[in-house]
Amino acid sequence: MTTSLSTLQQWVDEVAARTHPDNIHWCTGSDGEYAQLIQLMTADGTLSELNKDEYPNCYLHLSDPSDVARVEHLTYVCTDDQEDAGPNNNWMSPADGHAKIDALFDGAMRGRTMYVIPYCMGPIASPYSRCGVEITDSAYVAVNMKLMTRMGSAALERIEREGTFVRGLHSTGDLDPVRRFIMHFPAELSIKSIGSGYGGNALLGKKCHALRIASHQARDEGWLAEHMMIVGLENPEGETHYIACAFPSACGKTNLAMLIPPHSLPGWKVHTLGDDIAWLHLDEEGQLRAINPESGYFGVVPGTNKQTNENAFNMITRDTIFTNVARTANNEPWWEAKNVGEPAFDWQGREYDPSTGKAAHPNSRFTVAATNNPCYSELADAPEGVPISAIVFGGRRKRVAPLVYEAKNWKHGVLVGASVGSETTAAAIGEVGVIRRDPMAMKPFCGYNFGDYWKHWLSFEERSDKLPRIFHVNWFRQDDDGNFLWPGFGENLRVLHWIIDRCENRIGAKETPIGFLPNEGDIDTSELEISAETMRELTSVDIERSKIENEHFAEYLDTFGDRVPEALREEQQREAAELDKAM
Ligand code: GTP
Ligand code: SPV
Ligand code: MN
């Protein structure tokens, strides 16, 4: 046995000695193993099979009602120096963190099976990929990891070859929120999570590894680990541009990653690379390239229908695990805005009663392998990744933020990304709909001090003269009655079309203090019922409100003290001065 395997074996033994599982199961990632785990969970009630004819190989899991979303207030980054975690993270010293959580792991797996899950984030053959091993007492986690990562024997071989891996230890514990913690130890490349079986709290390859730990590594090694989807857009001439978009949780990444071109843009094709996370590296020519570390989707279910995204709707009619959706009388999954069928049982398995709230939980999710997506890119396994033409930031803003604008340069783009604000969603426990700062859509996911993170972003300018252009979009502007001003979904390609034209220097734009906005008529609105007046509203700058935004951002920067890079401060002040001039 090689050193790394014995290191892994040693760790597995140590964990077993602390947690006392009844059995240990090393996951191979085979289809037979998946089927066997599914069978086990349907037998013990963890899963129930959905209507076989309409939803073949689909299962429903109902989580504990207190365990339905990420828990940011219980998520910690444990570094020696608190300043390294920054005001953007909850902090504990590594010693305190281990002591606190290890006590909860004592005997936690008694009566349970411990699964050892080797996985690879990114194409098995890519130098950019990184491996990890998750140890968990949840078979639900094991099957989700199978759908969402390259899990099993091939990953184990790479771990054996490389000798390093991220260690993720997880137990559902007793699901009591007072004994729930998600802790990260970046210096040790390790994660410990207990007390939740849900999504980003429990599937440790995703937010914990591929964002919090990876962002930390990326800073040290000169790359970026970001909360971004990646999509290739091929025009009728056969030219493909890849763009990476960072939007906060439940703000449209999955839908944009697999959008269906509108009727008015015939001949366009969409190639999905990823829907949630991008790892970005500069290649030898200075071109920024992206891989998607994941190979499956953990997507928001409500709102998915034939009109908003038929591909997504069809993708989840087979081989899918649903979590916290409702059910119809004939055992099909149901959710708000599905637009077909009616709920008979809600997400807690109770007979549906509209007076007790929504039938599906607003953060109900589907887990499905990316290979189920009809527009999954042929380059998804390419070791070198895809070249990125544009980086797009965005958020959920009822007011102020225009439909689209372009940053003036890289430095300004970093300001645009850093000053993203968005209304909170059901993806995390807490109040929904309040605006919070969410720089680069990474507020819950950056594994180190945001001040250092912005400095890292700014440093790319010194390393390449071929960096992608940076944009900002907002699909979520509303009128006074709460109606969306922009149709969104597939129609968003009209905006991406403008973005690509800008990247190719094919189209002009009007310069404003916040960046370049589309000239009137440059966003194609043919076949849309949208007035010229609405388009003007969507593509103009409210100088006064932008000034207030800029001031709020300046106050936010203050909370990071002297960790804020001078260049970002200057950029914020430069924009403030331009806004003053325009008043
Ligand atoms: P996470 O998986 O939490 O990171 O979310 P996400 O960013 O992938 O968001 P997703 O695409 O799942 O969309 C979240 C919600 O926003 C769903 O209910 C969608 O129906 C809705 N949504 C997505 N795109 C649009 C859009 O262009 N316009 C409008 N109005 N709603 C959208
Ligand atoms: C998000 O909240 O951004 C998600 C879902 O993608 S989770 O995996 O729970 O983090
Ligand atoms: Mn996400």
Side-chain angles (χ1 to χ4, degrees):
M1 211 181 255
T2 64
T3 324
S4 58
L5 263 192
S6 48
T7 313
L8 173 56
Q9 184 67 56
Q10 215 178 348
W11 176 53
V12 169
D13 292 346
E14 262 168 47
V15 170
R18 181 178 290 283
T19 59
H20 298 289
D22 281 10
N23 305 294
I24 300 181
H25 173 128
W26 288 71
C27 291
T28 63
S30 72
D31 293 342
E33 176 183 74
Y34 181 83
Q36 183 209 332
L37 292 175
I38 293 280
Q39 201 181 18
L40 193 103
M41 286 187 282
T42 48
D44 74 9
T46 306
L47 295 181
S48 57
E49 189 170 16
L50 290 164
N51 187 309
K52 267 190 195 148
D53 300 321
E54 304 300 325
Y55 285 83
N57 200 24
C58 290
Y59 298 87
L60 173 63
H61 173 69
L62 302 182
S63 70
D64 186 278
S66 76
D67 186 28
V68 293
R70 283 182 296 98
V71 282
E72 296 178 5
H73 58 297
L74 303 174
T75 301
Y76 287 77
V77 169
C78 303
T79 47
D80 287 332
D81 183 352
Q82 181 166 5
E83 280 291 298
D84 291 337
N88 46 306
N89 282 301
N90 299 313
W91 176 85
M92 246 183 246
S93 73
D96 289 352
H98 283 303
K100 184 149 194 119
I101 205 158
D102 284 352
L104 298 173
F105 274 107
D106 278 338
M109 298 190 187
R110 261 199 192 99
R112 302 179 184 180
T113 296
M114 179 170 111
Y115 298 92
V116 181
I117 307 171
Y119 62 86
C120 180
M121 299 311 287
I124 289 275
S126 174
Y128 301 143
S129 301
R130 295 298 159 91
C131 291
V133 177
E134 175 164 359
I135 297 181
T136 177
D137 55 12
S138 162
Y140 168 83
V141 166
V143 292
N144 275 269
M145 289 292 283
K146 152 86 173 161
L147 294 175
M148 299 196 50
T149 70
R150 286 132 177 125
M151 181 266 255
S153 309
L156 189 61
E157 276 165 35
R158 185 167 162 159
I159 289 169
E160 186 179 0
R161 210 170 49 241
E162 287 187 330
T164 57
F165 60 94
V166 169
R167 294 163 192 225
L169 172 57
H170 169 255
S171 168
T172 50
D174 62 7
L175 295 177
D176 188 328
V178 304
R179 283 181 290 279
R180 183 176 293 162
F181 290 101
I182 326 290
M183 294 198 181
H184 303 75
F185 304 90
E188 302 164 22
L189 299 185
S190 90
I191 304 153
K192 291 181 178 174
S193 162
I194 195 161
S196 166
Y198 197 88
N201 301 331
L203 309 173
L204 303 186
K206 196 174 177 61
K207 299 304 175 35
C208 299
H209 177 168
L211 288 176
R212 297 193 193 95
I213 298 287
S215 62
H216 202 276
Q217 283 181 297
R219 188 262 316 260
D220 292 345
E221 298 170 6
W223 50 284
L224 293 164
E226 299 296 326
H227 192 203
M228 292 177 178
M229 54 68 102
I230 313 160
V231 68
L233 303 165
E234 184 179 340
N235 69 17
E237 289 74 48
E239 176 190 275
T240 304
H241 287 87
Y242 296 92
I243 65 171
C245 305
F247 309 155
S249 301
C251 291
K253 290 182 300 301
T254 303
N255 276 278
L256 196 66
M258 51 188 302
L259 76 88
I260 300 176
H263 185 257
S264 66
L265 286 171
W268 280 75
K269 289 191 194 124
V270 169
H271 307 280
T272 313
L273 271 296
D275 81 321
D276 199 50
I277 299 177
W279 285 356
L280 303 145
H281 290 76
L282 285 178
D283 71 11
E284 276 159 20
E285 273 81 55
Q287 169 69 52
L288 195 68
R289 307 189 74 90
I291 62 162
N292 169 20
E294 302 187 280
S295 60
Y297 312 128
F298 185 65
V300 175
V301 181
T304 309
N305 62 48
K306 276 200 170 162
Q307 292 70 45
T308 53
N309 194 323
E310 192 166 3
N311 281 349
F313 188 78
N314 292 337
M315 173 174 76
I316 58 176
T317 56
R318 60 191 168 91
D319 318 316
T320 300
I321 297 174
F322 289 89
T323 300
N324 293 345
V325 297
R327 263 184 312 136
T328 65
N330 70 343
N331 207 25
E332 291 180 36
W334 192 90
W335 52 87
E336 274 65 24
K338 185 182 185 188
N339 295 352
V340 284
E342 274 176 34
F345 302 96
D346 70 9
W347 67 274
Q348 298 187 59
R350 305 172 301 195
E351 252 177 66
Y352 174 58
D353 172 358
S355 71
T356 60
K358 299 203 154 134
H361 189 278
N363 191 37
S364 53
R365 298 262 167 175
F366 56 78
T367 318
V368 70
T371 46
N372 259 34
N373 174 0
C375 48
Y376 192 41
S377 170
E378 284 174 8
L379 292 180
D381 274 314
E384 70 283 8
V386 294
I388 298 297
S389 303
I391 288 174
V392 183
F393 294 112
R396 202 177 261 274
R397 297 299 297 264
K398 290 188 182 69
R399 308 264 184 270
V400 195
L403 180 62
V404 61
Y405 59 98
E406 181 188 344
K408 299 187 177 186
N409 50 49
W410 183 262
K411 196 182 292 167
H412 184 228
V414 174
L415 173 75
V416 168
S419 51
V420 164
S422 190
E423 291 142 25
T424 51
T425 67
I429 298 287
E431 205 183 334
V432 168
V434 293
I435 293 177
R436 73 157 176 187
R437 303 242 76 92
D438 196 347
M440 280 80 173
M442 284 286 278
K443 165 68 189 72
F445 309 121
C446 183
Y448 62 104
N449 191 314
F450 260 151
D452 301 343
Y453 173 77
W454 297 320
K455 190 166 160 212
H456 183 49
W457 264 85
L458 289 165
S459 75
F460 278 71
E461 200 179 27
E462 294 139 34
R463 296 171 52 202
S464 170
D465 52 11
K466 288 196 207 113
L467 292 173
R469 305 260 198 115
I470 297 180
F471 297 81
H472 186 285
V473 298
N474 176 22
W475 314 139
F476 299 98
R477 276 282 283 270
Q478 291 181 10
D479 65 18
D480 293 337
D481 300 325
N483 305 304
F484 290 112
L485 292 180
W486 176 251
F489 299 100
E491 309 299 346
N492 292 333
L493 184 58
R494 298 166 188 268
V495 174
L496 302 182
H497 190 331
W498 182 82
I499 287 177
I500 292 167
D501 282 346
R502 287 294 298 164
C503 292
E504 289 292 326
N505 298 315
R506 290 197 277 245
I507 200 165
K510 56 178 187 242
E511 187 166 1
T512 79
I514 68 164
F516 295 103
L517 272 89
N519 283 317
E520 193 162 339
D522 278 356
I523 303 267
D524 168 44
T525 55
S526 53
E527 299 180 29
L528 282 185
E529 278 175 35
I530 191 164
S531 68
E533 195 192 325
T534 301
M535 280 312 288
R536 265 196 295 279
E537 194 177 336
L538 283 170
T539 56
S540 58
V541 181
D542 183 331
I543 296 288
E544 264 163 53
R545 283 185 157 162
S546 299
K547 185 73 204 305
I548 295 169
E549 283 280 315
N550 179 291
E551 282 162 4
H552 283 169
F553 180 65
E555 286 164 20
Y556 177 68
L557 280 186
D558 289 342
T559 63
F560 293 87
D562 59 12
R563 291 267 181 156
V564 176
E566 203 46 45
L568 184 61
R569 241 319 155 205
E570 279 164 19
E571 199 55 28
Q572 173 267 317
Q573 285 165 359
R574 193 196 51 70
E575 191 182 272
E578 276 196 43
L579 285 162
D580 282 337
K581 240 191 292 170
M583 291 239 220

